[in-house]
Amino acid sequence: MMPDTFVSPQVEINEALVTGALLGRGLPSEAEHHLWEAGLSYHLDDIAERHLREAEALAPDHAAVLIGLYRFYFYKGRLAEALAVARRCLLKAAQENNLPADWRSVRTGDAEFGRYENILPRFFLFSLKGYAYLQMRLGETEEGRLAVQKLLELDPTDKIGAKVLLGVLERMGQDDE
């Protein structure tokens, strides 16, 4: 269970990126319409997912579409599907930053991870944080731990809050008082 003060990675991704110009660039207006409709019909799972899939068909690798899919699956509790999208976000972020495809091979000097205002490196960090969080939720704690450790290596000042996840990992298995 996550502490009450924990801000989930998908909320951070949304707040940090969806409003940014990066995500709006190159998104076909029809895909944007489907994302909008998916949000309006969120309570109707089949309809919302159909709109998300339509947006995906029009712009399969666009970050706004990927984030929409991620958030939908996450909030619906479809964590394995959210994890699959988180992996796609990681690959997209790696490509956008000219990073190795395997997040384990990314090094501190590969991008300006320490500059929070740099949206592309931040997209990578938030994608990795979402990946780590979902691994933990799905019981893959060692994979989650490795991802959190990579986050802290890339972002030693912890601007994105990876230490919260590390704290959760460290408390796992301890009795709550």
Side-chain angles (χ1 to χ4, degrees), residues 19 25 49 72 76 80-81 156 164 170:
T19 59
R25 276 189 242 152
E49 188 171 14
F72 177 78
K76 295 296 182 178
E81 291 162 291
V164 172
E170 289 170 353

Side-chain angles (χ1 to χ4, degrees), residues 10-166:
Q10 75 283 354
V11 171
E12 292 175 351
I13 289 172
N14 182 52
E15 291 172 358
L17 300 172
V18 171
T19 59
L22 167 72
L23 294 185
R25 276 189 242 152
L27 182 64
S29 60
E30 192 175 347
E32 184 177 358
H33 170 76
H34 283 293
L35 290 177
W36 180 258
E37 290 298 323
L40 293 175
S41 59
Y42 175 78
H43 61 289
L44 304 169
D45 291 4
D46 292 342
I47 294 171
E49 188 171 14
R50 188 182 76 232
H51 282 295
L52 287 168
R53 291 297 176 190
E54 290 289 334
E56 181 183 28
L58 293 164
D61 293 322
H62 197 285
V65 172
L66 293 174
I67 291 169
L69 284 164
Y70 176 91
R71 292 183 68 211
F72 177 78
Y73 291 133
F74 183 89
Y75 285 122
K76 295 296 182 178
R78 295 165 60 177
L79 302 184
E81 291 162 291
L83 179 59
V85 177
R87 285 183 174 118
R88 290 175 62 194
C89 286
L90 264 175
L91 286 174
K92 167 81 173 163
Q95 290 169 347
E96 294 291 327
N97 284 286
N98 296 313
L99 301 172
D102 183 353
W103 59 266
R104 292 164 190 84
S105 300
V106 176
R107 301 291 173 247
T108 306
D110 291 346
E112 291 187 277
F113 295 111
R115 297 194 57 199
Y116 193 77
E117 64 276 8
N118 289 348
I119 198 162
L120 289 173
R122 194 170 44 174
F123 178 43
F124 179 83
L125 292 173
F126 281 130
S127 296
L128 186 56
K129 186 177 181 186
Y131 173 83
Y133 175 75
L134 286 167
Q135 290 290 355
M136 291 168 52
R137 288 283 308 269
L138 292 167
E140 298 295 333
T141 54
E142 189 53 33
E143 180 74 359
R145 181 182 306 281
L146 291 172
V148 169
Q149 289 169 340
K150 178 58 73 172
L151 281 166
L152 292 171
E153 174 190 324
L154 299 175
D155 178 28
T157 61
D158 198 27
K159 289 180 179 68
I160 62 161
K163 286 182 183 174
V164 172
L165 294 177
L166 187 60

